[in-house]
Amino acid sequence: MRDTLTAPPARTQVPIRHLTGPQALDRALIEHLLARAAAFEQGVAMEAVPLSGRLLATVFYEPSTRTRFSFEAAMHRLGGQVLSAENATGASSAAKGESLEDAIRVIGSYADGIVLRHPEVGAAERAARVAPVPVINAGDGPGSHPTQALLDLYTIEKELGRLDHLRIGLAGDLRHGRTVRSLALLLARFPGNELVLISPPALRLGADVTAALNEAQQGMRETADLGGAIADLDVLYQTRIQAERFESSEEYERHRGVYVVNADLMRRLPERAILMHPLPRLDEIDPRVDADPRAAYFRQARNGLWVRMAVLDWAMGR
Ligand code: CP
């Protein structure tokens, strides 16, 4: 006879909610997460602490300021606790040659969710295949950065009142910039937007993303001329030339400083428009622009807190 006292509990069939890339974010889920983020910002979703007793592991194989701190702050604000590897490459058993898969299996047996940043494209997908808990992609090399794209949408909607029928200029290193790759795909979920892809020829947006945009019948055009494109934009999304992704320092130096947003350029940006940047910035936005009310990048970084609260609540809530 079966001993019901010692029988293992029945397995639940609830699917694990991973967020490994923009493909996981359809319009309904985006709208749910943005509404939830707004509720957290307004304090109306905090009558209970939704993640009390839950433990999040933040596992970062690449440096970060905004993403790691905002996820950790979000988890604490939701009543949960955090285990953190801020330098997993040098200070975890990755330094002894442990595979990502083995590390994730083990970390997933201690924590209730994993936020992962890794230098390899597809790392979050690999992690999600073996993880017993939700995996959230916090940036996989030059692949994707879905929670950054969500906070970018949140910022655009908050600043401009809508996510459709906008002309958005994505400028800089579109080849290596995971934030623009993810943002372009999410903007295509909303009607009437036009993307202006502004980059030198060698730093154009990858064919994998432009093919997906074409399939979604997303209006877009490419140009290398930032000054010529700026006058009819609603959003200028400036990005860093990513030194760490180039094969040689000579190649990086060829592109460094290609676009600098300064007071002269800001005079040509419409009064209604905003200037965004995922940060960190180097020299591609003159700090004297920070005082311009259209400079939204520090407000944008702050919005990461509310959006990541919404993402953790969705992925890890009971
Ligand atoms: N925008 C962004 O991902 O910043 P961090 O690299 O500081 O996390």
Short mmCIF file of all heavy atoms in Angstrom, two decimals, residues 22 27-28 38-39 41 50 55-56 106 109 121 124 139 208 234 243 251 261 278 286 297 311:
data_model
loop_
_atom_site.label_atom_id
_atom_site.label_comp_id
_atom_site.label_asym_id
_atom_site.label_seq_id
_atom_site.Cartn_x
_atom_site.Cartn_y
_atom_site.Cartn_z
N PRO A 22 13.08 39.38 -26.75
CA PRO A 22 11.88 40.12 -27.12
C PRO A 22 10.79 39.24 -27.72
O PRO A 22 9.62 39.60 -27.70
CB PRO A 22 12.39 41.14 -28.15
CG PRO A 22 13.71 40.64 -28.60
CD PRO A 22 14.26 39.82 -27.49
N ARG A 27 2.16 41.91 -27.61
CA ARG A 27 1.63 43.21 -27.21
C ARG A 27 0.83 43.13 -25.89
O ARG A 27 0.92 44.02 -25.05
CB ARG A 27 0.76 43.78 -28.34
CG ARG A 27 0.26 45.15 -28.00
CD ARG A 27 -0.26 45.89 -29.19
NE ARG A 27 -0.99 47.05 -28.73
CZ ARG A 27 -1.56 47.93 -29.51
NH1 ARG A 27 -1.47 47.80 -30.81
NH2 ARG A 27 -2.22 48.96 -29.02
N ALA A 28 0.08 42.05 -25.73
CA ALA A 28 -0.74 41.93 -24.51
C ALA A 28 0.16 41.87 -23.26
O ALA A 28 -0.13 42.52 -22.25
CB ALA A 28 -1.61 40.67 -24.59
N ALA A 38 3.42 50.96 -13.93
CA ALA A 38 2.83 52.25 -13.54
C ALA A 38 2.18 52.14 -12.17
O ALA A 38 2.27 53.07 -11.35
CB ALA A 38 1.80 52.67 -14.60
N ALA A 39 1.56 51.01 -11.89
CA ALA A 39 0.93 50.81 -10.57
C ALA A 39 2.00 50.80 -9.48
O ALA A 39 1.82 51.39 -8.41
CB ALA A 39 0.13 49.51 -10.57
N GLU A 41 4.88 52.31 -9.67
CA GLU A 41 5.40 53.69 -9.54
C GLU A 41 4.45 54.54 -8.70
O GLU A 41 4.89 55.35 -7.88
CB GLU A 41 5.61 54.33 -10.93
CG GLU A 41 6.16 55.74 -10.80
CD GLU A 41 6.59 56.37 -12.10
OE1 GLU A 41 6.32 55.81 -13.18
OE2 GLU A 41 7.20 57.46 -12.01
N PRO A 50 4.53 41.48 -2.69
CA PRO A 50 4.21 40.30 -3.49
C PRO A 50 5.29 39.21 -3.47
O PRO A 50 4.98 38.06 -3.67
CB PRO A 50 4.05 40.84 -4.91
CG PRO A 50 3.99 42.33 -4.80
CD PRO A 50 4.58 42.72 -3.49
N LEU A 55 13.48 34.42 -3.14
CA LEU A 55 14.91 34.71 -3.26
C LEU A 55 15.30 34.81 -4.74
O LEU A 55 15.02 33.90 -5.51
CB LEU A 55 15.68 33.57 -2.58
CG LEU A 55 17.12 33.75 -2.21
CD1 LEU A 55 17.36 35.02 -1.42
CD2 LEU A 55 17.57 32.54 -1.37
N LEU A 56 15.94 35.93 -5.12
CA LEU A 56 16.38 36.15 -6.50
C LEU A 56 17.91 36.07 -6.55
O LEU A 56 18.59 36.67 -5.71
CB LEU A 56 15.95 37.55 -6.97
CG LEU A 56 16.46 37.98 -8.35
CD1 LEU A 56 15.78 37.18 -9.45
CD2 LEU A 56 16.22 39.48 -8.57
N VAL A 106 22.55 24.62 -10.51
CA VAL A 106 22.84 24.68 -9.07
C VAL A 106 22.24 25.95 -8.45
O VAL A 106 21.56 25.89 -7.42
CB VAL A 106 24.37 24.62 -8.84
CG1 VAL A 106 24.71 24.88 -7.39
CG2 VAL A 106 24.90 23.26 -9.29
N SER A 109 18.70 25.79 -7.80
CA SER A 109 18.25 24.96 -6.66
C SER A 109 18.33 25.73 -5.35
O SER A 109 17.88 25.22 -4.31
CB SER A 109 19.08 23.67 -6.59
OG SER A 109 20.41 23.95 -6.17
N VAL A 121 25.75 35.57 -27.00
CA VAL A 121 24.39 35.59 -27.54
C VAL A 121 23.76 34.21 -27.30
O VAL A 121 24.38 33.18 -27.54
CB VAL A 121 24.42 35.90 -29.06
CG1 VAL A 121 23.02 35.80 -29.65
CG2 VAL A 121 25.02 37.27 -29.31
N ALA A 124 20.98 33.25 -22.27
CA ALA A 124 19.76 33.16 -21.45
C ALA A 124 18.87 32.02 -21.93
O ALA A 124 18.24 31.33 -21.11
CB ALA A 124 19.01 34.49 -21.49
N GLY A 139 20.75 40.84 -20.59
CA GLY A 139 21.70 41.21 -21.64
C GLY A 139 22.59 40.02 -21.97
O GLY A 139 23.30 39.53 -21.09
N ASP A 208 19.32 39.87 -39.04
CA ASP A 208 18.30 39.07 -38.35
C ASP A 208 17.17 39.97 -37.84
O ASP A 208 15.99 39.63 -37.96
CB ASP A 208 18.93 38.27 -37.19
CG ASP A 208 19.66 39.14 -36.17
OD1 ASP A 208 20.12 40.26 -36.52
OD2 ASP A 208 19.78 38.71 -35.01
N ASP A 234 10.35 62.10 -33.21
CA ASP A 234 9.68 62.22 -31.90
C ASP A 234 10.61 61.74 -30.78
O ASP A 234 10.52 62.22 -29.65
CB ASP A 234 8.41 61.37 -31.88
CG ASP A 234 7.40 61.84 -32.91
OD1 ASP A 234 6.95 63.00 -32.80
OD2 ASP A 234 7.09 61.07 -33.84
N ALA A 243 33.01 49.67 -27.44
CA ALA A 243 34.42 49.30 -27.59
C ALA A 243 34.65 47.82 -27.34
O ALA A 243 35.44 47.16 -28.05
CB ALA A 243 35.27 50.12 -26.62
N GLU A 251 39.62 49.29 -35.05
CA GLU A 251 38.27 49.34 -35.63
C GLU A 251 37.37 50.22 -34.76
O GLU A 251 36.58 51.02 -35.26
CB GLU A 251 37.70 47.92 -35.74
CG GLU A 251 36.50 47.84 -36.67
CD GLU A 251 35.78 46.50 -36.61
OE1 GLU A 251 36.24 45.56 -35.94
OE2 GLU A 251 34.70 46.42 -37.25
N VAL A 261 25.81 64.15 -29.68
CA VAL A 261 24.66 65.04 -29.50
C VAL A 261 25.10 66.19 -28.60
O VAL A 261 25.46 65.98 -27.44
CB VAL A 261 23.46 64.29 -28.88
CG1 VAL A 261 22.29 65.25 -28.68
CG2 VAL A 261 23.04 63.12 -29.77
N PRO A 278 20.33 54.39 -23.38
CA PRO A 278 20.24 53.34 -22.35
C PRO A 278 21.27 53.52 -21.24
O PRO A 278 21.11 52.93 -20.17
CB PRO A 278 20.48 52.05 -23.14
CG PRO A 278 21.26 52.47 -24.36
CD PRO A 278 20.80 53.87 -24.68
N ASP A 286 26.94 65.26 -25.07
CA ASP A 286 27.64 66.28 -24.30
C ASP A 286 26.90 66.48 -22.96
O ASP A 286 25.68 66.69 -22.97
CB ASP A 286 27.63 67.58 -25.13
CG ASP A 286 28.43 68.70 -24.48
OD1 ASP A 286 28.50 68.74 -23.23
OD2 ASP A 286 28.96 69.54 -25.23
N TYR A 297 17.21 60.68 -20.39
CA TYR A 297 17.93 59.43 -20.10
C TYR A 297 18.06 59.11 -18.61
O TYR A 297 18.07 57.94 -18.25
CB TYR A 297 19.30 59.38 -20.79
CG TYR A 297 19.96 60.69 -21.04
CD1 TYR A 297 20.83 61.24 -20.10
CD2 TYR A 297 19.72 61.41 -22.21
CE1 TYR A 297 21.45 62.46 -20.32
CE2 TYR A 297 20.33 62.64 -22.44
CZ TYR A 297 21.19 63.15 -21.49
OH TYR A 297 21.79 64.37 -21.72
N VAL A 311 8.34 43.01 -13.91
CA VAL A 311 8.85 41.78 -14.51
C VAL A 311 9.05 40.70 -13.44
O VAL A 311 8.66 39.53 -13.62
CB VAL A 311 10.16 42.05 -15.29
CG1 VAL A 311 10.85 40.75 -15.68
CG2 VAL A 311 9.87 42.90 -16.53
#
